[in-house]
Amino acid sequence: MRSKFILISLASTIPLVGCDASQHSKASETPLTTEARYFQSCASCHESGRAGAPKRSAPSDWAKRSHKSEDQMLRSVIEGYRGMPARGMCVDCTDEELRELVKFLNPLSVVEPEAN
């Protein structure tokens, strides 16, 4: 009986371990810039070319994809493409933020600088 009580006690406290309300308050966070989102979610593959990802710094990698429209590339990001997971590792990005990341990644696209 005692061991059952201990197990129930432990099970009820496990979800609280490491829980910090300040970590979950997105409303108070400063929105990330496109560049910050890129380095948080995309750079691990698109800086090195891992798994065949087009490198941000390699226009030739993007020239191979020049036949695709921005909307087609966005769809690939949203749905996932080959080794890239759906939403490109930016699960909290909106579709518009993903569109901005597509523009940021592609050195052949014209990107307007962000206002700070």
Side-chain angles (χ1 to χ4, degrees), residues 55-65 106-108:
K55 291 174 29 176
R56 184 175 65 109
S57 61
S60 62
D61 287 359
W62 291 94
K64 298 172 192 173
R65 293 156 176 85
N106 185 346
L108 303 178

Side-chain angles (χ1 to χ4, degrees), residues 29-51:
E29 293 179 10
T30 304
L32 292 175
T33 64
T34 300
E35 182 176 20
R37 283 195 180 281
Y38 167 77
F39 283 106
Q40 181 181 53
S41 301
C42 311
S44 62
C45 294
H46 287 283
E47 287 294 308
S48 66
R50 184 181 347 170

Side-chain angles (χ1 to χ4, degrees), residues 5 10-11 18 21 24-26 30 33-34 42-43 47 50 54 57-58 62-63 72 77 79 83 85 101 105 110 116:
F5 174 77
L10 284 174
H24 302 291
S25 175
K26 291 205 175 238
T30 304
T33 64
T34 300
C42 311
E47 287 294 308
R50 184 181 347 170
S57 61
W62 291 94
Q72 288 172 314
V77 172
E79 296 173 359
L101 283 165
L105 266 153
V110 178
N116 289 354

